[in-house]
Coordinates of all heavy atoms in Angstrom, one line a residue:
I1 N 170.5 76.5 78.2 CA 171.8 76.2 77.6 C 172.7 77.5 77.9 O 172.2 78.6 77.7 CB 171.7 76.0 76.1 CG1 170.9 74.7 75.9 CG2 173.1 75.8 75.5 CD1 170.6 74.5 74.4
R2 N 173.9 77.3 78.4 CA 174.8 78.4 78.6 C 176.0 78.1 77.7 O 176.5 77.0 77.6 CB 175.3 78.4 80.1 CG 174.2 78.4 81.1 CD 173.3 79.6 81.0 NE 172.3 79.7 82.0 CZ 171.0 79.5 81.9 NH1 170.6 79.1 80.7 NH2 170.2 79.6 82.9
A3 N 176.6 79.2 77.1 CA 177.7 79.0 76.2 C 178.6 80.2 76.3 O 178.2 81.3 76.2 CB 177.2 78.8 74.7
Y4 N 179.9 79.9 76.4 CA 180.9 81.0 76.4 C 181.3 81.3 75.0 O 181.6 80.5 74.2 CB 182.1 80.5 77.2 CG 183.2 81.5 77.2 CD1 183.1 82.6 78.0 CD2 184.4 81.4 76.4 CE1 184.1 83.6 78.0 CE2 185.4 82.3 76.5 CZ 185.3 83.4 77.3 OH 186.2 84.4 77.3
D5 N 181.2 82.6 74.7 CA 181.6 83.1 73.4 C 183.1 83.6 73.5 O 183.3 84.7 74.1 CB 180.7 84.2 72.9 CG 180.9 84.7 71.5 OD1 182.1 84.7 71.1 OD2 180.0 85.2 70.9
S6 N 184.0 82.9 72.9 CA 185.4 83.3 73.0 C 185.8 84.5 72.2 O 186.8 85.2 72.5 CB 186.3 82.1 72.5 OG 186.1 81.8 71.2
L7 N 184.9 84.9 71.3 CA 185.2 86.2 70.5 C 184.8 87.4 71.3 O 185.5 88.4 71.3 CB 184.5 86.2 69.2 CG 184.9 85.1 68.2 CD1 184.0 85.1 67.0 CD2 186.3 85.3 67.8
T8 N 183.7 87.4 72.0 CA 183.2 88.5 72.8 C 183.6 88.4 74.3 O 183.4 89.4 75.1 CB 181.7 88.7 72.7 OG1 181.1 87.6 73.2 CG2 181.3 88.9 71.2
H9 N 184.0 87.2 74.7 CA 184.3 86.9 76.1 C 183.1 87.1 77.0 O 183.2 87.5 78.1 CB 185.5 87.8 76.6 CG 186.7 87.6 75.8 ND1 187.5 86.5 75.8 CD2 187.3 88.4 74.9 CE1 188.5 86.6 75.0 NE2 188.4 87.8 74.4
E10 N 181.9 86.7 76.5 CA 180.7 86.8 77.2 C 180.1 85.4 77.3 O 180.3 84.5 76.5 CB 179.7 87.7 76.5 CG 180.2 89.1 76.4 CD 179.2 90.0 75.6 OE1 178.6 89.5 74.6 OE2 179.1 91.2 76.0
I11 N 179.2 85.2 78.3 CA 178.4 84.0 78.5 C 177.0 84.3 77.9 O 176.4 85.2 78.4 CB 178.4 83.5 79.9 CG1 179.8 83.2 80.4 CG2 177.5 82.3 80.0 CD1 179.8 82.9 81.9
N12 N 176.6 83.5 76.9 CA 175.3 83.7 76.4 C 174.4 82.5 76.9 O 174.9 81.5 77.3 CB 175.4 83.6 74.8 CG 176.2 84.7 74.2 OD1 176.0 85.9 74.6 ND2 177.1 84.4 73.4
F13 N 173.1 82.8 76.9 CA 172.2 81.7 77.3 C 171.1 81.6 76.4 O 170.7 82.6 75.7 CB 171.7 82.0 78.8 CG 170.7 83.0 78.9 CD1 169.3 82.8 78.8 CD2 171.0 84.4 79.1 CE1 168.4 83.8 78.9 CE2 170.1 85.4 79.3 CZ 168.8 85.1 79.1
F14 N 170.5 80.4 76.3 CA 169.4 80.1 75.4 C 168.4 79.3 76.3 O 168.8 78.3 76.8 CB 169.8 79.3 74.2 CG 171.0 80.0 73.5 CD1 172.3 79.7 73.9 CD2 170.7 80.9 72.5 CE1 173.4 80.4 73.2 CE2 171.8 81.6 71.8 CZ 173.1 81.3 72.2
E15 N 167.2 79.7 76.4 CA 166.2 79.0 77.1 C 164.9 78.9 76.3 O 164.5 79.8 75.6 CB 165.9 79.7 78.5 CG 167.0 79.7 79.4 CD 166.7 80.3 80.7 OE1 165.6 80.9 80.9 OE2 167.6 80.3 81.6
F16 N 164.2 77.7 76.5 CA 163.0 77.5 75.8 C 161.8 77.7 76.8 O 161.9 77.2 77.9 CB 162.9 76.1 75.2 CG 164.0 75.9 74.2 CD1 165.3 75.4 74.5 CD2 163.8 76.3 72.8 CE1 166.3 75.3 73.6 CE2 164.9 76.2 71.9 CZ 166.1 75.7 72.3
N17 N 160.8 78.4 76.4 CA 159.8 78.7 77.4 C 158.5 78.0 77.0 O 158.4 77.3 76.1 CB 159.5 80.3 77.5 CG 159.1 80.9 76.2 OD1 158.4 80.2 75.4 ND2 159.4 82.1 76.0
S18 N 157.5 78.2 77.9 CA 156.2 77.5 77.7 C 155.4 78.0 76.5 O 154.3 77.4 76.2 CB 155.4 77.6 79.0 OG 155.1 79.0 79.3
F19 N 155.8 79.1 75.9 CA 155.1 79.6 74.7 C 155.7 79.0 73.4 O 155.5 79.6 72.3 CB 155.2 81.1 74.7 CG 154.6 81.7 75.9 CD1 155.4 82.4 76.8 CD2 153.2 81.6 76.2 CE1 154.9 82.9 78.0 CE2 152.7 82.2 77.4 CZ 153.6 82.8 78.2
N20 N 156.5 78.0 73.5 CA 157.2 77.3 72.3 C 158.1 78.3 71.6 O 158.2 78.2 70.4 CB 156.1 76.7 71.4 CG 155.4 75.6 72.0 OD1 156.0 74.8 72.7 ND2 154.1 75.4 71.7
S21 N 158.7 79.1 72.3 CA 159.7 80.0 71.7 C 161.0 80.0 72.5 O 161.1 79.4 73.6 CB 159.2 81.4 71.6 OG 158.9 82.0 72.9
M22 N 162.0 80.6 72.0 CA 163.3 80.6 72.7 C 163.7 82.0 73.1 O 163.4 83.0 72.4 CB 164.4 80.1 71.7 CG 165.8 80.0 72.4 SD 167.1 79.4 71.3 CE 167.3 80.8 70.3
V23 N 164.2 82.1 74.3 CA 164.7 83.4 74.8 C 166.2 83.3 74.8 O 166.8 82.3 75.3 CB 164.2 83.7 76.2 CG1 164.8 84.9 76.8 CG2 162.7 83.7 76.2
A24 N 166.9 84.3 74.2 CA 168.4 84.3 74.2 C 168.9 85.6 74.7 O 168.3 86.6 74.5 CB 168.8 84.1 72.8
G25 N 170.0 85.5 75.4 CA 170.5 86.8 76.0 C 171.9 86.5 76.5 O 172.6 85.6 76.2
K26 N 172.3 87.4 77.4 CA 173.7 87.4 78.0 C 173.6 87.1 79.5 O 172.6 87.6 80.2 CB 174.4 88.7 77.8 CG 174.7 89.0 76.3 CD 175.5 90.3 76.2 CE 175.6 90.7 74.7 NZ 175.9 89.7 73.8
C27 N 174.6 86.4 80.0 CA 174.7 86.2 81.5 C 175.8 87.0 82.0 O 176.9 87.1 81.4 CB 174.9 84.7 81.7 SG 175.1 84.3 83.4
M28 N 175.5 87.7 83.1 CA 176.6 88.6 83.7 C 176.6 88.3 85.2 O 175.6 88.1 85.8 CB 176.1 90.1 83.5 CG 177.2 91.0 83.9 SD 176.7 92.8 83.6 CE 175.3 93.0 84.6
V29 N 177.9 88.2 85.7 CA 178.1 87.9 87.1 C 178.8 89.1 87.7 O 179.8 89.5 87.1 CB 178.9 86.6 87.3 CG1 179.2 86.3 88.7 CG2 178.2 85.4 86.6
E30 N 178.3 89.6 88.7 CA 178.9 90.7 89.5 C 179.0 90.3 91.0 O 177.9 90.2 91.6 CB 178.2 92.0 89.3 CG 178.3 92.6 88.0 CD 177.6 94.0 87.9 OE1 176.9 94.4 88.8 OE2 177.8 94.6 86.8
G31 N 180.1 90.0 91.4 CA 180.3 89.5 92.8 C 179.5 88.2 92.9 O 179.8 87.2 92.2
D32 N 178.6 88.1 93.9 CA 177.8 86.9 94.1 C 176.4 87.0 93.4 O 175.6 86.1 93.6 CB 177.6 86.6 95.6 CG 178.9 86.2 96.2 OD1 179.7 85.5 95.6 OD2 179.1 86.6 97.4
N33 N 176.2 88.0 92.6 CA 174.9 88.2 91.9 C 175.0 87.7 90.5 O 176.1 87.9 89.8 CB 174.5 89.7 91.9 CG 174.4 90.3 93.3 OD1 174.1 89.5 94.2 ND2 174.6 91.5 93.4
I34 N 173.9 87.2 90.0 CA 173.9 86.6 88.6 C 172.7 87.3 87.9 O 171.6 87.3 88.4 CB 173.7 85.1 88.6 CG1 174.8 84.4 89.4 CG2 173.7 84.6 87.2 CD1 174.5 83.0 89.7
Y35 N 173.0 87.8 86.7 CA 172.0 88.5 85.9 C 171.9 87.9 84.5 O 172.9 87.6 83.9 CB 172.4 90.0 85.7 CG 172.6 90.8 87.0 CD1 173.8 90.9 87.6 CD2 171.5 91.4 87.6 CE1 174.0 91.6 88.8 CE2 171.6 92.1 88.8 CZ 172.9 92.2 89.4 OH 173.0 92.9 90.5
F36 N 170.7 87.7 84.1 CA 170.4 87.2 82.8 C 169.6 88.3 82.0 O 168.5 88.7 82.5 CB 169.5 85.9 82.8 CG 170.2 84.8 83.5 CD1 170.0 84.5 84.8 CD2 171.0 84.0 82.7 CE1 170.6 83.4 85.4 CE2 171.7 82.9 83.3 CZ 171.5 82.6 84.7
I37 N 170.2 88.9 81.0 CA 169.7 90.0 80.3 C 169.2 89.6 78.9 O 170.0 89.0 78.2 CB 170.7 91.1 80.2 CG1 171.2 91.5 81.6 CG2 170.2 92.4 79.5 CD1 172.6 92.0 81.7
Y38 N 168.0 89.9 78.5 CA 167.5 89.5 77.3 C 166.3 90.4 76.8 O 165.8 91.1 77.6 CB 166.9 88.0 77.4 CG 165.9 87.9 78.5 CD1 164.5 87.9 78.2 CD2 166.3 87.7 79.9 CE1 163.6 87.8 79.2 CE2 165.3 87.6 80.9 CZ 164.0 87.6 80.6 OH 163.1 87.5 81.6
D39 N 166.1 90.3 75.5 CA 165.0 91.0 74.9 C 163.7 90.1 74.9 O 163.8 88.9 74.6 CB 165.3 91.4 73.4 CG 166.3 92.5 73.4 OD1 166.5 93.3 74.3 OD2 167.0 92.6 72.3
Y40 N 162.6 90.7 75.3 CA 161.4 90.0 75.4 C 160.3 90.7 74.6 O 160.0 91.9 74.9 CB 160.9 89.8 76.9 CG 159.7 88.9 77.1 CD1 159.9 87.6 77.1 CD2 158.5 89.5 77.2 CE1 158.8 86.7 77.3 CE2 157.4 88.6 77.4 CZ 157.5 87.3 77.4 OH 156.5 86.5 77.6
K41 N 159.7 90.0 73.7 CA 158.7 90.6 72.8 C 157.3 90.3 73.3 O 157.0 89.1 73.6 CB 158.9 90.1 71.4 CG 158.0 90.8 70.4 CD 158.4 90.5 69.0 CE 157.4 91.3 68.1 NZ 158.0 91.7 66.8
M42 N 156.5 91.3 73.4 CA 155.2 91.2 73.8 C 154.3 92.0 72.9 O 154.4 93.3 72.9 CB 154.9 91.6 75.3 CG 153.5 91.4 75.8 SD 153.3 91.9 77.5 CE 153.9 90.4 78.3
G43 N 153.6 91.4 72.0 CA 152.8 92.1 71.1 C 153.7 92.8 70.1 O 154.6 92.2 69.5
D44 N 153.5 94.1 69.9 CA 154.4 94.9 69.0 C 155.6 95.5 69.7 O 156.4 96.2 69.1 CB 153.5 96.0 68.4 CG 152.5 95.5 67.4 OD1 152.6 94.3 67.0 OD2 151.5 96.2 67.2
Q45 N 155.7 95.3 71.0 CA 156.7 95.9 71.8 C 157.8 94.9 72.2 O 157.5 93.8 72.4 CB 156.2 96.6 73.1 CG 155.3 97.8 72.8 CD 154.8 98.4 74.0 OE1 154.6 97.8 75.1 NE2 154.7 99.8 74.0
T46 N 159.0 95.4 72.3 CA 160.1 94.6 72.8 C 160.7 95.3 74.0 O 161.0 96.5 74.0 CB 161.2 94.4 71.7 OG1 160.6 93.7 70.6 CG2 162.4 93.5 72.3
F47 N 160.9 94.5 75.1 CA 161.5 95.1 76.3 C 162.8 94.4 76.6 O 162.9 93.2 76.3 CB 160.5 94.8 77.5 CG 159.1 95.3 77.4 CD1 158.1 94.6 76.8 CD2 158.9 96.6 77.8 CE1 156.8 95.1 76.7 CE2 157.6 97.2 77.7 CZ 156.6 96.4 77.1
Q48 N 163.7 95.1 77.2 CA 164.9 94.4 77.7 C 164.7 94.1 79.1 O 164.5 95.0 80.0 CB 166.2 95.3 77.6 CG 167.4 94.5 78.0 CD 168.7 95.3 77.9 OE1 168.9 96.2 78.6 NE2 169.5 94.9 76.9
L49 N 164.6 92.8 79.4 CA 164.3 92.3 80.8 C 165.6 91.8 81.4 O 166.5 91.3 80.7 CB 163.2 91.2 80.8 CG 161.8 91.7 80.3 CD1 160.8 90.5 80.5 CD2 161.3 92.9 81.1
T50 N 165.6 91.7 82.7 CA 166.6 91.1 83.5 C 166.0 90.2 84.5 O 165.1 90.6 85.2 CB 167.5 92.2 84.2 OG1 168.0 93.1 83.2 CG2 168.6 91.6 85.0
D51 N 166.6 89.0 84.5 CA 166.3 88.1 85.7 C 167.5 88.1 86.5 O 168.7 88.0 86.0 CB 166.2 86.6 85.2 CG 165.0 86.4 84.3 OD1 164.3 87.3 83.9 OD2 164.7 85.2 84.1
A52 N 167.4 88.4 87.8 CA 168.5 88.5 88.7 C 168.4 87.6 89.9 O 167.3 87.5 90.5 CB 168.6 90.0 89.2
W53 N 169.5 87.0 90.2 CA 169.7 86.2 91.5 C 170.6 87.1 92.3 O 171.8 87.2 92.0 CB 170.3 84.8 91.2 CG 169.4 83.9 90.5 CD1 169.3 83.7 89.2 CD2 168.4 83.1 91.1 NE1 168.3 82.8 88.9 CE2 167.7 82.4 90.1 CE3 168.0 82.8 92.4 CZ2 166.7 81.5 90.3 CZ3 167.0 81.9 92.7 CH2 166.3 81.3 91.6
I54 N 170.1 87.7 93.4 CA 170.8 88.7 94.2 C 171.2 88.0 95.5 O 170.3 87.6 96.3 CB 170.0 89.9 94.4 CG1 169.6 90.5 93.0 CG2 170.7 90.9 95.2 CD1 168.5 91.5 93.0
F55 N 172.5 88.0 95.8 CA 173.0 87.3 97.0 C 172.6 88.1 98.2 O 172.7 89.3 98.3 CB 174.5 87.2 96.9 CG 175.2 86.6 98.1 CD1 175.2 85.3 98.3 CD2 175.7 87.4 99.1 CE1 175.9 84.7 99.4 CE2 176.3 86.9 100.2 CZ 176.4 85.5 100.3
V56 N 172.0 87.4 99.2 CA 171.7 88.0 100.5 C 172.7 87.5 101.6 O 173.3 88.2 102.3 CB 170.2 87.8 100.9 CG1 169.9 88.3 102.3 CG2 169.3 88.4 99.9
N57 N 172.7 86.1 101.6 CA 173.7 85.5 102.5 C 173.9 84.0 101.9 O 173.3 83.7 100.9 CB 173.3 85.4 104.0 CG 172.0 84.7 104.2 OD1 171.8 83.6 103.7 ND2 171.1 85.4 104.9
K58 N 174.7 83.2 102.6 CA 175.1 81.9 102.0 C 173.8 81.0 101.8 O 173.9 80.0 101.1 CB 176.1 81.2 102.8 CG 175.7 80.8 104.1 CD 176.8 80.1 104.8 CE 176.4 79.5 106.2 NZ 177.4 78.7 106.8
N59 N 172.7 81.3 102.5 CA 171.5 80.5 102.4 C 170.4 81.2 101.7 O 169.3 80.6 101.6 CB 171.1 80.0 103.7 CG 172.1 79.1 104.4 OD1 172.6 78.1 103.7 ND2 172.5 79.4 105.6
T60 N 170.5 82.4 101.2 CA 169.4 83.2 100.7 C 169.8 84.0 99.5 O 170.8 84.6 99.5 CB 168.9 84.1 101.8 OG1 168.7 83.4 103.0 CG2 167.6 84.8 101.4
Y61 N 168.9 83.9 98.5 CA 169.0 84.8 97.3 C 167.7 85.4 97.1 O 166.6 84.8 97.3 CB 169.4 84.0 96.1 CG 170.9 83.8 95.8 CD1 171.6 82.8 96.5 CD2 171.5 84.7 95.0 CE1 173.0 82.7 96.3 CE2 172.9 84.6 94.8 CZ 173.6 83.6 95.4 OH 175.0 83.4 95.2
E62 N 167.7 86.7 96.6 CA 166.5 87.3 96.1 C 166.4 87.1 94.6 O 167.5 87.1 94.0 CB 166.5 88.8 96.4 CG 166.4 89.2 97.8 CD 166.4 90.7 98.1 OE1 166.5 91.4 97.1 OE2 166.2 91.1 99.2
Y63 N 165.3 86.8 94.1 CA 165.1 86.6 92.6 C 164.1 87.7 92.1 O 163.1 87.9 92.7 CB 164.5 85.2 92.4 CG 164.3 84.9 90.9 CD1 165.3 84.8 90.0 CD2 163.0 84.8 90.4 CE1 165.1 84.5 88.7 CE2 162.7 84.5 89.1 CZ 163.8 84.4 88.3 OH 163.6 84.2 86.9
K64 N 164.5 88.4 91.1 CA 163.7 89.4 90.5 C 163.7 89.3 89.0 O 164.7 88.9 88.4 CB 164.2 90.8 90.9 CG 164.1 91.2 92.3 CD 164.5 92.6 92.6 CE 164.4 92.9 94.1 NZ 164.7 94.3 94.3
I65 N 162.6 89.6 88.4 CA 162.4 89.8 86.9 C 161.9 91.2 86.7 O 160.9 91.6 87.3 CB 161.5 88.8 86.3 CG1 162.0 87.3 86.5 CG2 161.3 89.0 84.8 CD1 161.0 86.3 86.1
G66 N 162.6 92.0 85.9 CA 162.1 93.3 85.6 C 162.9 94.1 84.6 O 163.8 93.5 83.9
I67 N 162.8 95.4 84.6 CA 163.6 96.3 83.8 C 164.6 96.9 84.7 O 164.3 97.6 85.6 CB 162.7 97.3 83.1 CG1 161.6 96.6 82.2 CG2 163.5 98.3 82.3 CD1 160.6 97.6 81.6
F68 N 165.9 96.5 84.4 CA 167.0 96.9 85.3 C 168.0 97.8 84.4 O 168.5 97.3 83.4 CB 167.7 95.7 85.8 CG 168.8 95.9 86.8 CD1 168.5 96.3 88.1 CD2 170.1 95.7 86.4 CE1 169.5 96.5 89.0 CE2 171.1 95.8 87.4 CZ 170.8 96.3 88.6
K69 N 168.1 99.0 84.7 CA 169.0 99.9 83.9 C 169.8 100.8 84.9 O 169.3 101.2 85.9 CB 168.1 100.9 83.1 CG 167.4 100.2 81.9 CD 166.7 101.2 81.1 CE 166.0 100.5 79.9 NZ 165.1 101.4 79.1
N70 N 171.0 101.0 84.5 CA 172.0 101.8 85.3 C 172.0 101.4 86.8 O 172.0 102.2 87.7 CB 171.6 103.3 85.2 CG 171.6 103.8 83.8 OD1 172.6 103.5 83.0 ND2 170.7 104.6 83.4
N71 N 172.1 100.0 87.0 CA 172.1 99.4 88.3 C 170.9 99.8 89.2 O 171.0 99.8 90.4 CB 173.4 99.8 89.0 CG 174.6 99.2 88.4 OD1 174.5 98.0 87.9 ND2 175.7 99.8 88.3
M72 N 169.8 100.1 88.6 CA 168.5 100.3 89.3 C 167.4 99.6 88.7 O 167.3 99.5 87.4 CB 168.3 101.8 89.4 CG 169.3 102.6 90.1 SD 168.9 104.4 90.3 CE 167.4 104.2 91.3
W73 N 166.4 99.2 89.5 CA 165.2 98.6 89.0 C 164.2 99.7 88.6 O 163.8 100.4 89.5 CB 164.6 97.6 90.0 CG 165.4 96.4 90.2 CD1 166.3 96.2 91.2 CD2 165.5 95.3 89.4 NE1 166.9 95.0 91.1 CE2 166.4 94.4 90.0 CE3 164.8 94.9 88.2 CZ2 166.7 93.1 89.4 CZ3 165.1 93.7 87.6 CH2 166.1 92.8 88.2
E74 N 163.9 99.8 87.3 CA 162.9 100.7 86.9 C 161.5 100.2 87.1 O 160.5 100.9 87.5 CB 163.0 101.1 85.4 CG 164.2 101.9 85.1 CD 164.3 102.4 83.7 OE1 163.4 102.0 82.9 OE2 165.2 103.1 83.3
Q75 N 161.4 98.9 86.9 CA 160.1 98.2 87.2 C 160.4 96.7 87.5 O 161.2 96.1 86.8 CB 159.2 98.3 85.9 CG 157.8 97.8 86.1 CD 156.9 98.2 84.9 OE1 157.4 98.7 83.9 NE2 155.6 98.0 85.1
V76 N 159.7 96.2 88.5 CA 159.8 94.8 88.9 C 158.5 94.1 88.6 O 157.5 94.5 89.1 CB 160.3 94.6 90.4 CG1 160.3 93.2 90.8 CG2 161.6 95.3 90.6
F77 N 158.6 93.0 87.8 CA 157.3 92.2 87.5 C 157.1 91.1 88.5 O 156.0 90.6 88.7 CB 157.4 91.8 86.1 CG 157.5 92.9 85.1 CD1 158.7 93.0 84.3 CD2 156.5 93.8 84.9 CE1 158.8 94.1 83.4 CE2 156.6 94.8 84.0 CZ 157.8 95.0 83.3
L78 N 158.2 90.5 89.0 CA 158.2 89.4 89.9 C 159.3 89.5 90.9 O 160.5 89.8 90.5 CB 158.3 88.1 89.1 CG 158.2 86.8 90.0 CD1 157.2 85.8 89.3 CD2 159.5 86.2 90.2
A79 N 159.1 89.3 92.1 CA 160.1 89.3 93.1 C 159.8 88.2 94.1 O 158.7 87.9 94.5 CB 160.2 90.6 93.9
S80 N 160.9 87.5 94.5 CA 160.7 86.4 95.5 C 162.0 86.2 96.2 O 163.1 86.7 95.8 CB 160.4 85.1 94.7 OG 160.1 84.0 95.6
T81 N 162.0 85.5 97.3 CA 163.2 85.1 98.1 C 163.3 83.6 98.2 O 162.3 83.0 98.5 CB 163.1 85.8 99.5 OG1 162.9 87.2 99.3 CG2 164.4 85.5 100.3
Y82 N 164.5 83.1 98.0 CA 164.7 81.7 98.0 C 165.7 81.4 99.2 O 166.8 82.0 99.3 CB 165.3 81.2 96.7 CG 164.3 81.2 95.6 CD1 164.1 82.4 94.9 CD2 163.5 80.1 95.4 CE1 163.1 82.4 93.9 CE2 162.5 80.2 94.4 CZ 162.4 81.3 93.6 OH 161.4 81.4 92.7
H83 N 165.3 80.5 100.1 CA 166.1 80.1 101.2 C 166.5 78.6 101.1 O 165.6 77.8 100.8 CB 165.3 80.3 102.5 CG 164.8 81.7 102.8 ND1 165.7 82.6 103.3 CD2 163.6 82.2 102.6 CE1 165.0 83.8 103.4 NE2 163.7 83.5 103.0
R84 N 167.7 78.3 101.3 CA 168.2 76.9 101.4 C 167.9 76.5 102.8 O 168.1 77.1 103.8 CB 169.7 76.8 101.1 CG 170.2 75.4 101.2 CD 171.6 75.2 100.8 NE 172.5 76.3 101.3 CZ 173.7 76.3 100.9 NH1 174.2 75.5 100.0 NH2 174.5 77.3 101.4
K85 N 167.3 75.2 102.9 CA 167.0 74.7 104.2 C 168.1 73.7 104.7 O 168.8 73.2 103.9 CB 165.7 73.9 104.2 CG 164.5 74.8 104.0 CD 163.3 74.1 104.0 CE 162.1 75.0 103.8 NZ 160.8 74.4 104.1

């Protein structure tokens, strides 16, 4: 679910995962890149994760999940490339 918050002028998202819980965060668009930023709890720790769709060209995006701070990836947990045929 994606929802525009007219008070903060942000796009929020809500997703349900396979662990029967909900992940909520903010959606940010920079140029042709799309970022989903959210807190993820694992055990006693909470991490701020980012899912990113990074534009390569009109037929290709890189997809990454990890810790993204100050426009840099500190740690990447999953990386893939998606090509349109």
